[in-house]
Amino acid sequence: QVQLVESGGGLVQAGGSLRLSCAVSGSIFSINTMGWYRQAPGKQRELVAAFTKSGSTNYADSVKGRFTLSRDNAKNTVSLQMNSLKPEDTAVYYCNADIIMRGVYAAINYWGKGTLVTVSS
């Protein structure tokens, strides 16, 4: 089965940095899209940063210039470097990917279990 495992969450002070990583395992044929979403208490889940099928990146306006998305296709991983963190960045961050498994040839959307990021003021 396909699994998405996040790591790197934790507690940091405002202005600090944190790096999140997501590793995908399983019998994978290809990964079409991959990125990060977050959900804060009382808020809906929102896109933070993601790679699209066209190869471009999408960033939420609130994180542009502070967060940087990267990926390693050979290792099936995606990372999110978060700098100049603000208390409003506090949320559970979820890895998300559209994946085609070997022998299926149809994309399925998968979610990780989430990792908590807490930014103190």
Side-chain angles (χ1 to χ4, degrees):
Q1 63 273 17
V2 172
Q3 292 183 321
L4 280 66
V5 180
E6 302 107 330
S7 63
L11 173 65
V12 298
Q13 292 186 332
S17 298
L18 208 59
R19 185 177 181 86
L20 305 182
S21 295
C22 176
V24 180
S25 62
S27 299
I28 298 170
F29 176 76
S30 67
I31 300 175
N32 291 340
T33 66
M34 198 168 183
W36 291 91
Y37 291 71
R38 68 185 181 187
Q39 187 167 23
K43 303 287 186 178
Q44 71 173 191
R45 189 171 300 186
E46 65 175 349
L47 172 72
V48 179
F51 290 104
T52 69
K53 291 182 178 181
S54 65
S56 63
T57 53
N58 288 333
Y59 290 92
D61 288 340
S62 61
V63 308
K64 288 181 179 177
R66 299 188 297 120
F67 292 8
T68 302
L69 188 69
S70 63
R71 67 181 175 187
D72 185 337
N73 290 332
K75 297 184 180 297
N76 290 332
T77 61
V78 64
S79 298
L80 184 68
Q81 179 66 43
M82 305 185 294
N83 298 326
S84 302
L85 284 163
K86 305 174 181 179
E88 63 199 64
D89 294 318
T90 296
V92 177
Y93 285 69
Y94 298 90
C95 183
N96 175 265
D98 278 351
I99 299 172
I100 301 177
M101 296 180 64
R102 290 193 61 187
V104 176
Y105 304 104
I108 299 174
N109 191 250
Y110 294 89
W111 290 93
K113 294 182 179 180
T115 184
L116 178 63
V117 172
T118 302
V119 184
S120 63
S121 60

